[in-house]
Amino acid sequence: MITTPALHCKLTSSQLSSTLVPELFSQKQHPSKIAQTFVGHERAKEALNFGLSMSAVGFNVFAMGEHGTGRQTLIKQLLTDLAKEQAAPAEWCYINNFDENHAPYKLYVNPGDGKQLLSRINKFIDELMDLFPEIFDNPAYQRQKSAIDRDFNKKYDEAIGAVEEIALKSNVSLYEENGEVGFSPLVDGKPLNDKEFASINESERAKFYQLLSELEVVLAEQLLELPLWKRESSNELRQLKNDTAEQAIKPYLSELEQEFSENKGVLKYLSKVKAHIVDASLEILVSDEDDAPNEKELRKLMVERFLPNLLVPRDLNDGAPVVYEQNPTYQNLFGHVDFSSFQGSSYTSYRLIRPGALHKANGGYLLLDVEKLLTQPLVWSRLKLALKTGQITIENPYSEISQPGAFSLQPEKIPLQVKVILLGDAEIYYTLQDYDQEFTELFRVLADFDRHLDKNDENLVAFSNLIRQRAFKNNYPEIEDEAVLELVRYALRRAEHQHKISANIVQVNDLLDEANYCWNKSGDKGALTANHIAMALAAKKRRTGRLSEIWLDEIKEQQVLINTEGNFVGKVNGLTVLEIGDSVFGTPARITATVYAGSQGVTDIEGEVDLGKSIHSKGVLLLTGYLGHKYGQNFPVAISANIAIEQSYGHIDGDSASMAELCALISAITLLPIDQSLAITGSINQHGEVQSIGGVNEKIEGFFQLCKDKGLTGKQGVIIPKTNVINLMLNTEVIEAVARSEFAIYAVETIDQALELLMSTTAGDMNSTGRYPRKSVHGLALEKLSHFAELLEGGEE
């Protein structure tokens, strides 16, 4: 008979879940009027405020937390509010480097001025299109052009006249045909044609040929400076064109310079335009060729040469930018240079430079998923370099291994001032801290997001507001207070804590979405109720419950041996949790122990065959420590024992079965049978104190489902560590069964309490002489172990 307080370990139904009242979740404001706020995460919020306010280099932020905790949404919300109060950053353009086309220059303009600059340059190009080539039809230009032509013709005519005068003296005429100068003999004042020249005698022809040679020498002497005259004439005409074009363009450029007089960068750019615009206009817009490009093509050529490439336009009233790059590839982050094709060949220019996320976030904030970042080649090292140097470099990261001779631009580097917030989990954070010194230098602020939120009224109300805001955003029906309560209860269950809510709002949102589906499917017209939440939970359980049902069926068919009634020596129902994909369920497992005289100690059969992992093996080794401490004070404990988790064919880890294994071992030593209507889970230390374990709710519900299927007797129940009571968030079915005394849950602090419950025998306390009561559990164990020691000692003699 049990005389210790073990029976007082029985829990009431009120202890099996957290207490919630629907009135707390009553809707006081319409969801559209409730401002979105941080729910909990005070430590992370303080770190973010600190990191985002620090202007010194290296105070970037690593937001550490699990996926689904709302990190990204909360950080975006905080950044958006913070960015609104800040001034919009500068705009950056790339402009043509007229001297070295492969190295475009950067151009800084004030926020909002970029579009104005583009508009004015476009207008300027249109004005040039209107000026050329019509400007050369001006009478003043034509007069100056004619004067240059007359000067050339005068020199030419004088030279030809001098030769003609000499030729006439020798009865030879000079003529010009198709731009060539020729000579012909004169007879009776008339030039001879070819037929007439052939009929004269040989001596006359020889005389003419001699004279012709002399005249050609004279002609060559007179026209010796003809190329010089032509060059001078061409230079004068070219200078006239340049002066005319320059005078025509000058007022438009002056107007541009006046408009942007406060921006030194634009003025510097316009000075470079001034040096090249005349030549470009004459080259592109003035053409005498028949196949000259049409007006649209001409304008495109001017745009390609003079229109700045505005990378990221800014609005003066938008504040600082907040950018989240979902796919941080090299090009998406740092920008790239595009290529275009023309007549079958590819080309590029400063106009084809494309911005990346760093350009878009420059002067503001950039959010990145560190896991995605680290999977991209070269991105992590180049990002660190950009943050250290404060410059954005647009380049081809694979230029060293690309095809030789491939043309690419080398744009001027743009100054970078950005606050980077990395989103990642604890494993990545601590790995980077250990192996990457630059990471520690650049990301000095850790914003550690909680996995759980405290269950206080403020957080509960805020949590319910988030639920209703999502419902309103997705046009869901109104949510009753009881439905909100069940969603909060689900968050408590996910946290496995009666006083903490799971920060993973995504899981709650998923359940709300499924409940809305059930509401639509049922054809209801009213509000979304707690019944719809229950329907969604049941549907979710059914979708993922095939494996647990198969396992329970095998137990009922006795393919897996588990008893829920009767008493057996060395056998106990342990409780395990199986995680397969997104299916998590608890199931009982039979743990057996056998003992015999020997000195091999306690053998972990799972460990011997490499099915038991290190933590499980540690739990078994602790049993030896407990036996020695409890019973080996007066004689050496000599025992050979085997412990096994029966019909287990997969890897086992964790020490949550150590209390059950010790109970089975003591049962085998004392030959006291264990009540099979009870299952047990818990970890122990060498002093017999019971320690917390995980998955307590799934374990209890798994054994309850088996007992329910076999038939509840009112004697069945589960023994758990007392420290796990705070983790109990059991389903309604189990709570109601406990309330009706059809099922029991016991919370124990020591192994003695568990032994008394399982064996219906007092554990026994050591008296002043160092002995236990004779019929107690420990008394019987001490007697048996003493007997084993004597057998071994006698055998050695």
Side-chain angles (χ1 to χ4, degrees):
M1 182 176 177
I2 305 173
T3 58
T4 63
L7 290 177
H8 299 299
C9 300
K10 191 173 183 179
L11 301 180
T12 63
S13 58
S14 62
Q15 296 175 277
L16 306 183
S17 184
S18 182
T19 304
L20 297 168
V21 289
E23 291 76 20
L24 183 64
F25 307 110
S26 59
Q27 188 172 339
K28 298 177 179 63
Q29 282 183 290
H30 193 270
S32 62
K33 297 181 180 179
I34 301 173
Q36 251 192 343
T37 57
F38 260 70
V39 181
H41 303 299
E42 290 302 322
R43 181 187 290 104
K45 186 177 180 182
E46 291 172 10
L48 283 169
N49 286 329
F50 166 72
L52 299 177
S53 302
M54 287 292 291
S55 57
V57 176
F59 284 86
N60 297 293
V61 180
F62 190 102
M64 184 172 74
E66 294 182 354
H67 176 73
T69 54
R71 284 174 308 162
Q72 183 181 321
T73 303
L74 295 174
I75 292 173
K76 275 186 178 179
Q77 174 194 330
L78 180 65
L79 292 179
T80 302
D81 295 339
L82 189 63
K84 287 178 182 176
E85 302 172 1
Q86 299 178 2
E91 295 178 330
W92 289 96
C93 307
Y94 273 113
I95 56 176
N96 192 7
N97 181 344
F98 299 103
D99 299 320
E100 297 182 47
N101 291 336
H102 72 281
Y105 290 125
K106 65 178 184 289
L107 173 63
Y108 161 94
V109 292
N110 295 323
D113 288 353
K115 288 184 178 179
Q116 181 187 353
L117 177 63
L118 295 189
S119 175
R120 282 300 288 114
I121 297 296
N122 270 313
K123 182 181 176 183
F124 175 61
I125 292 173
D126 289 336
E127 291 165 345
L128 294 179
M129 298 285 293
D130 293 336
L131 278 176
F132 295 94
E134 286 78 5
I135 188 176
F136 299 118
D137 295 335
N138 186 292
Y141 170 81
Q142 291 295 334
R143 282 196 302 274
Q144 295 180 64
K145 182 175 182 294
S146 298
I148 294 171
D149 290 341
R150 282 196 304 271
D151 186 46
F152 172 79
N153 292 334
K154 181 182 176 182
K155 293 178 181 178
Y156 180 77
D157 290 343
E158 289 176 352
I160 293 297
V163 175
E164 187 176 19
E165 184 178 348
I166 296 172
L168 289 173
K169 290 179 180 179
S170 301
N171 288 325
V172 176
S173 70
L174 181 148
Y175 65 91
E176 291 186 65
E177 186 177 2
N178 296 328
E180 294 183 355
V181 177
F183 296 95
S184 176
L186 290 174
V187 176
D188 299 329
K190 292 182 179 179
L192 300 179
N193 56 32
D194 291 343
K195 186 176 180 182
E196 292 171 338
F197 180 73
S199 62
I200 63 177
N201 59 49
E202 185 68 28
S203 62
E204 289 293 327
R205 284 202 302 271
K207 182 180 177 182
F208 175 74
Y209 285 135
Q210 179 63 34
L211 185 60
L212 182 63
S213 298
E214 295 173 358
L215 287 172
E216 285 180 345
V217 170
V218 173
L219 179 65
E221 290 174 350
Q222 290 293 324
L223 295 181
L224 186 64
E225 295 184 352
L226 179 63
L228 177 62
W229 301 337
K230 285 185 176 180
R231 185 163 63 250
E232 289 176 348
S233 177
S234 297
N235 289 340
E236 289 175 2
L237 282 173
R238 189 179 302 108
Q239 187 62 43
L240 175 61
K241 277 189 174 183
N242 285 346
D243 292 343
T244 304
E246 186 176 348
Q247 290 300 318
I249 294 171
K250 187 175 180 180
Y252 299 106
L253 275 174
S254 299
E255 187 179 344
L256 274 173
E257 289 172 340
Q258 187 175 355
E259 285 188 36
F260 295 95
S261 59
E262 295 181 1
N263 193 314
K264 293 182 180 179
V266 175
L267 291 178
K268 187 177 179 182
Y269 164 60
L270 292 177
S271 69
K272 293 176 182 175
V273 170
K274 184 187 294 186
H276 294 84
I277 189 66
V278 173
D279 291 340
S281 299
L282 295 175
E283 175 190 340
I284 297 171
L285 301 179
V286 181
S287 175
D288 298 328
E289 298 176 8
D290 295 334
D291 59 344
N294 57 39
E295 186 174 335
K296 184 178 179 181
E297 292 172 338
L298 290 174
R299 192 183 193 287
K300 183 180 179 182
L301 291 172
M302 293 295 287
V303 165
E304 288 289 334
R305 193 170 294 194
F306 293 104
L307 187 67
N309 177 10
L310 178 60
L311 294 181
V312 182
R314 308 282 189 198
D315 192 308
L316 195 60
N317 300 317
D318 281 351
V322 177
V323 177
Y324 171 60
E325 179 53 60
Q326 291 183 322
N327 183 26
T329 62
Y330 193 95
Q331 290 190 351
N332 289 350
L333 201 57
F334 297 95
H336 63 283
V337 180
D338 263 348
F339 284 82
S340 186
S341 60
F342 180 73
Q343 295 182 349
S345 61
S346 63
Y347 75 95
T348 188
S349 75
Y350 76 99
R351 296 275 307 154
L352 295 175
I353 298 173
R354 303 293 179 244
L358 282 173
H359 298 91
K360 297 172 185 175
N362 200 2
Y365 307 95
L366 176 62
L367 275 76
L368 298 169
D369 286 310
V370 66
E371 187 174 358
K372 295 178 181 177
L373 195 70
L374 294 173
T375 59
Q376 297 292 337
L378 302 177
V379 170
W380 175 240
S381 60
R382 298 300 173 90
L383 175 62
K384 291 187 294 182
L385 181 63
L387 293 176
K388 287 180 73 174
T389 60
Q391 293 179 323
I392 311 173
T393 304
I394 299 179
E395 61 183 348
N396 177 10
Y398 307 108
S399 57
E400 295 180 357
I401 57 174
S402 59
Q403 182 179 354
F407 179 78
S408 183
L409 300 182
Q410 296 175 357
E412 191 175 2
K413 296 176 182 179
I414 289 178
L416 174 65
Q417 186 176 2
V418 68
K419 188 73 71 172
V420 177
I421 299 95
L422 296 182
L423 307 174
D425 58 30
E427 183 180 359
I428 293 178
Y429 175 76
Y430 292 117
T431 301
L432 288 173
Q433 267 210 331
D434 289 341
Y435 295 102
D436 192 337
Q437 180 61 35
E438 289 180 316
F439 169 76
T440 307
E441 295 172 1
L442 293 170
F443 293 87
R444 298 179 182 177
V445 181
L446 171 64
D448 193 354
F449 280 78
D450 300 317
R451 294 178 63 241
H452 306 123
L453 311 176
D454 290 335
K455 185 199 136 189
N456 53 47
D457 288 354
E458 182 183 354
N459 283 344
L460 289 174
V461 171
F463 204 80
S464 66
N465 286 338
L466 286 177
I467 292 170
R468 284 198 162 100
Q469 282 175 333
R470 178 177 176 80
F472 174 76
K473 181 181 177 182
N474 294 333
N475 296 317
Y476 291 169
E478 183 183 347
I479 305 176
E480 288 187 353
D481 296 344
E482 287 78 6
V484 175
L485 184 147
E486 290 304 318
L487 289 168
V488 173
R489 190 188 302 280
Y490 178 71
L492 288 162
R493 169 62 184 260
R494 298 297 304 185
E496 290 190 294
H497 206 288
Q498 294 183 1
H499 304 308
K500 292 188 182 295
I501 314 167
S502 170
N504 196 325
I505 189 68
V506 171
Q507 295 170 337
V508 178
N509 289 340
D510 289 346
L511 183 60
L512 175 62
D513 296 341
E514 293 178 35
N516 179 66
Y517 170 79
C518 295
W519 178 85
N520 280 319
K521 190 175 180 182
S522 62
D524 292 338
K525 301 299 181 184
L528 195 149
T529 66
N531 184 49
H532 296 114
I533 305 296
M535 291 167 63
L537 282 170
K540 189 181 186 76
K541 182 179 178 181
R542 175 167 174 75
R543 286 197 304 272
T544 61
R546 184 180 67 86
L547 293 174
S548 62
E549 289 177 8
I550 290 173
W551 194 269
L552 289 173
D553 287 342
E554 289 182 346
I555 294 174
K556 286 186 287 185
E557 295 169 0
Q558 295 189 344
Q559 300 296 321
V560 176
L561 299 178
I562 299 289
N563 292 316
T564 57
E565 295 181 89
N567 297 275
F568 297 95
V569 173
K571 298 178 184 178
V572 68
N573 292 327
L575 294 175
T576 62
V577 172
L578 297 181
E579 295 187 35
I580 305 172
D582 60 351
S583 180
V584 182
F585 59 93
T587 181
R590 173 174 283 180
I591 298 174
T592 63
T594 58
V595 299
Y596 50 91
S599 57
Q600 296 177 2
V602 178
T603 300
D604 171 22
I605 292 179
E606 313 301 323
E608 290 294 317
V609 295
D610 293 330
L611 288 178
K613 294 190 177 180
S614 56
I615 298 178
H616 176 262
S617 298
K618 174 188 173 183
V620 175
L621 290 173
L622 287 172
L623 305 187
T624 304
Y626 174 82
L627 292 177
H629 172 72
K630 192 74 174 178
Y631 306 118
Q633 299 300 315
N634 297 317
F635 60 88
V637 174
I639 187 175
S640 291
N642 293 311
I643 295 177
I645 299 177
E646 303 292 353
Q647 295 182 283
S648 170
Y649 308 109
H651 289 287
I652 297 170
D653 202 9
D655 60 352
S656 64
S658 58
M659 182 162 64
E661 290 169 337
L662 181 56
C663 291
L665 183 60
I666 292 177
S667 171
I669 293 171
T670 61
L671 300 180
L672 290 173
I674 290 177
D675 187 354
Q676 301 298 299
S677 63
L678 295 176
I680 184 170
T681 183
S683 166
I684 62 159
N685 60 28
Q686 294 183 91
H687 295 277
E689 296 169 327
V690 180
Q691 303 166 150
S692 297
I693 45 86
V696 64
N697 295 293
E698 288 81 4
K699 290 175 179 179
I700 293 172
E701 289 170 358
F703 188 67
F704 171 80
Q705 189 63 47
L706 175 62
C707 294
K708 179 187 171 186
D709 290 348
K710 286 193 169 187
L712 293 172
T713 62
K715 295 181 180 180
Q716 294 140 334
V718 172
I719 300 171
I720 65 170
K722 189 173 183 179
T723 49
N724 277 119
V725 173
I726 201 171
N727 304 115
L728 293 178
M729 285 298 301
L730 295 167
N731 62 37
T732 305
E733 193 175 16
V734 176
I735 294 173
E736 290 175 351
V738 171
R740 295 192 300 267
S741 298
E742 295 176 351
F743 194 75
I745 298 173
Y746 302 93
V748 299
E749 294 180 273
T750 65
I751 189 65
D752 289 358
Q753 293 171 335
L755 291 171
E756 290 179 357
L757 289 167
L758 289 170
M759 300 176 184
S760 300
T761 304
T762 182
D765 294 322
M766 183 180 289
N767 58 26
S768 58
T769 62
R771 295 181 176 274
Y772 293 99
R774 201 161 164 271
K775 295 295 184 181
S776 67
V777 175
H778 295 314
L780 293 171
L782 193 62
E783 182 181 344
K784 187 63 168 285
L785 291 173
S786 175
H787 177 63
F788 282 167
E790 290 174 2
L791 286 176
L792 287 175
E793 187 178 348
E796 291 175 359
E797 293 175 355

